[in-house]
């Protein structure tokens, strides 16, 4: 892991949501298509260690080590864990990294151990891309670690839904999990767009694998998954308006967010339609055109938009019990009736346990600790 700073002690216990995760088959028939999955409330606990190795004054590398503990009832059968250690540690890594990315906006890089040399090179390139020097590190210190673990626990139900979503979408036998189950359609109506947006958000944050242009495209599509509906008229205007009012703490915030989203959408459209060369910067594309005249988002512009998508995902996780169409309607009418957005914000803050301090709020696309 690169660009992540964590205070001592540099280890903690992390709970992993196993619900609906595929288990090792006990069917002796090698051609069997039966699927065994973990119960929705199944959990596992892993010990997570961050071993520090500072490469330079401005670049920190940490080796992430995950040690899983024996699974407990109802998962254990005949004294053997039905989930392989590799699968469990991989699931822990995935849920840990996503929780870190959603908890704070600052970016960090994650590479498999065997690709750590490549990771160093990519980390130095990412640092060089920032004209002002190294990107600010992702920091977990003091109470932030406690807040992060509380936040991660609140993500457990979301991880369970994501396990089920991935099982159905990606496992060859997964389509049978909710087959002929009337709750299946309701499940996908509730989570599909949120899961799609989260997948795209994760892909956009694998910065070592994507150019800035591709990150911009994935993030705009993620925003569309969250905020658009069947009405495609004035799409960029309504997308920018909905994101801005949900994440803006005041008039200046709303205006700034609106301009970021609108310019990002226009830049994405040019990339999609092969018109990435625009000649020279313009007021409609601030921070999105390079010296050569091509669409080339600055790291700062990408981080600002990434932060809006991140905070919006947190809102929609918290608002899953509300009808999505009702949420979008409230955002559409926010310019005339801000009380609806205030109500959504209160609901989200209660979900994430942020009712005790005024500065711990989701608006402005931030998560102060």
């Amino acid at each position: 892991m690169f660009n992540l700073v964590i205070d001592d002690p540099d280890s903690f216990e992390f709970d992993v949501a196993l619900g609906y995760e595929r288990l090792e088959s006990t069917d002796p028939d090698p051609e069997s298509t039966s699927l065994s999955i973990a119960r929705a409330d199944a959990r596992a606990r892993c010990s997570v260690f961050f071993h520090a190795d500072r490469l330079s004054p401005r670049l920190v590398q940490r080796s992430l080590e995950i040690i899983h503990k024996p699974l407990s009832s109802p998962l254990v059968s005949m004294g053997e864990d039905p989930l392989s250690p590799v699968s469990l540690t991989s699931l822990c890594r995935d849920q840990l990294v996503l929780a870190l990315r959603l908890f704070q906006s600052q970016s960090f890089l994650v590479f498999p151990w065997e690709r750590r040399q490549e990771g160093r090179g990519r980390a130095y390139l990412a640092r060089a891309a920032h004209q002002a020097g190294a990107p600010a590190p992702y920091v977990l210190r003091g109470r932030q670690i406690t807040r992060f673990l509380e936040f991660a626990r609140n993500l457990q139900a979301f991880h369970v839904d994501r396990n089920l979503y991935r099982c159905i979408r990606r496992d060859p036998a997964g389509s049978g999990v909710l087959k002929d189950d009337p709750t299946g359609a309701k499940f996908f109506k509730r989570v599909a767009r949120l899961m799609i947006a989260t997948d795209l958000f994760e892909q956009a944050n694998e910065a070592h694998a994507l150019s800035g242009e591709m990150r911009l495209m994935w993030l705009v599509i993620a925003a569309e998954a969250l905020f658009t509906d069947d009405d495609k008229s004035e799409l960029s205007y309504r997308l920018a308006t909905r994101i801005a009012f949900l994440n803006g703490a005041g008039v200046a915030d709303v205006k700034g967010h609106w301009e970021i989203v609108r310019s990002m959408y226009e830049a994405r459209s040019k990339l999609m339609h092969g018109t990435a060369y625009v000649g020279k910067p313009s007021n409609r594309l601030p921070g999105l055109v390079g010296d050569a005249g091509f669409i080339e988002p600055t790291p700062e512009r990408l981080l600002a938009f990434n932060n809006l998508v991140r905070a919006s995902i947190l809102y929609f996780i918290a608002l899953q019990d509300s009808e999505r169409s009702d949420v979008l309607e409230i955002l559409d009418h926010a310019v005339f009736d801000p009380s609806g957005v205030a109500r959504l914000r209160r609901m989200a803050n209660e979900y994430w346990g942020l009712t005790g301090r005024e500065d711990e709020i989701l608006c402005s696309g931030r998560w102060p600790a």
Side-chain angles (χ1 to χ4, degrees):
M1 303 184 75
F2 296 90
N3 208 42
L4 186 147
V5 176
I6 183 169
D7 216 350
D8 292 329
D10 55 0
S11 64
F12 49 75
E13 302 293 291
F14 188 80
D15 291 328
V16 183
L18 299 181
Y20 298 108
E21 187 67 14
R22 184 167 188 171
L23 306 178
E24 296 293 324
S25 176
T26 57
D27 194 326
D29 182 1
E31 297 183 358
S32 172
T33 58
S34 63
L35 182 65
S36 178
I37 60 175
R39 285 175 39 169
D41 60 351
R43 300 283 188 273
R45 176 159 291 187
C46 291
S47 296
V48 176
F49 301 86
F50 297 89
H51 303 293
D53 180 15
R54 182 175 289 274
L55 299 178
S56 74
R58 295 197 299 175
L59 183 63
V60 175
Q61 172 184 326
R62 286 184 176 270
S63 299
L64 173 62
E65 180 184 9
I66 297 173
I67 301 177
H68 87 89
K69 301 188 176 183
L71 301 179
S72 58
S73 178
L75 283 180
V76 174
S77 175
M78 298 180 294
E80 297 180 358
D81 288 351
L83 193 66
S84 73
V86 173
S87 298
L88 180 52
T89 54
S90 296
L91 190 63
C92 177
R93 178 202 61 210
D94 291 348
Q95 293 184 10
L96 171 65
V97 169
L98 178 60
L100 287 168
R101 295 198 194 285
L102 290 174
F103 183 66
Q104 289 187 26
S105 62
Q106 203 57 50
S107 62
F108 59 90
L109 303 180
V110 182
F111 284 85
W113 177 254
E114 62 273 12
R115 293 176 56 199
R116 62 191 181 281
Q117 297 296 338
E118 176 189 352
R120 291 192 187 104
R122 295 285 185 176
Y124 277 113
L125 287 174
R127 186 189 70 179
H130 288 69
Q131 297 178 358
Y138 187 112
V139 178
L140 280 181
R141 283 181 172 157
R143 187 175 179 273
Q144 290 172 313
I145 298 177
T146 302
R147 284 288 300 112
F148 168 70
L149 293 175
E150 293 172 355
F151 170 78
R153 282 191 288 272
N154 284 335
L155 274 178
Q156 289 280 307
F158 171 76
H159 285 309
V160 171
D161 283 345
R162 200 162 188 232
N163 290 345
L164 177 56
Y165 169 82
R166 287 180 162 185
C167 177
I168 295 172
R169 284 209 65 189
R170 301 179 182 180
D171 194 300
S175 59
V177 174
L178 294 178
K179 187 177 181 181
D180 300 325
D181 188 336
T183 63
K186 293 181 180 179
F187 172 75
F188 278 115
K189 181 181 179 181
R190 178 172 62 86
V191 308
R193 284 178 171 265
L194 175 59
M195 298 302 166
I196 292 169
T198 304
D199 285 347
L200 291 164
F201 172 79
E202 280 197 305
Q203 292 178 46
N205 279 279
E206 292 296 329
H208 60 275
L210 292 174
S211 65
E213 293 85 347
M214 287 302 300
R215 292 189 66 201
L216 184 156
M217 291 176 67
W218 288 139
L219 287 170
V220 173
I221 298 172
E224 287 181 304
L226 291 174
F227 288 96
T228 61
D229 49 29
D230 293 335
D231 183 0
K232 304 305 180 185
S233 62
E234 298 183 324
L235 182 57
S236 63
Y237 174 84
R238 289 187 298 112
L239 178 67
T241 300
R242 289 168 175 175
I243 295 177
F245 273 105
L246 183 62
N247 288 283
V251 174
D253 269 351
V254 170
K255 185 175 184 293
H257 296 338
W258 192 92
E259 291 175 348
I260 288 176
V261 178
R262 189 68 180 268
S263 63
M264 284 288 183
Y265 185 89
E266 182 171 339
R268 193 284 304 265
S269 297
K270 290 184 178 298
L271 289 170
M272 287 287 290
H273 296 290
T275 56
Y277 179 72
V278 296
K280 59 181 180 180
S282 68
N283 292 333
R284 292 181 63 87
L285 296 169
L288 295 172
V289 181
D291 294 338
F294 289 88
I295 297 295
E296 187 180 323
T298 63
E300 293 77 16
R301 200 70 171 175
L302 273 176
L303 180 62
F305 187 56
N306 186 81
N307 199 23
L308 286 174
V309 175
R310 176 190 68 88
S312 297
I313 289 173
L314 294 179
Y315 271 116
F316 277 92
I317 290 174
L319 299 173
Q320 285 185 80
D321 290 337
S322 302
E323 285 290 335
R324 184 171 173 278
S325 58
D326 294 341
V327 173
L328 297 183
E329 185 175 358
I330 288 173
L331 297 177
D332 287 339
H333 290 87
V335 67
F336 306 109
D337 181 13
S339 65
V341 176
R343 185 170 67 255
L344 295 179
R345 194 163 290 148
R346 284 195 299 271
M347 292 168 61
N349 287 340
E350 289 174 4
Y351 181 92
W352 295 111
L354 301 180
T355 57
R357 291 174 51 188
E358 292 183 358
D359 61 331
E360 289 188 336
I361 54 178
L362 295 175
C363 58
S364 300
R366 64 189 177 92
W367 187 286

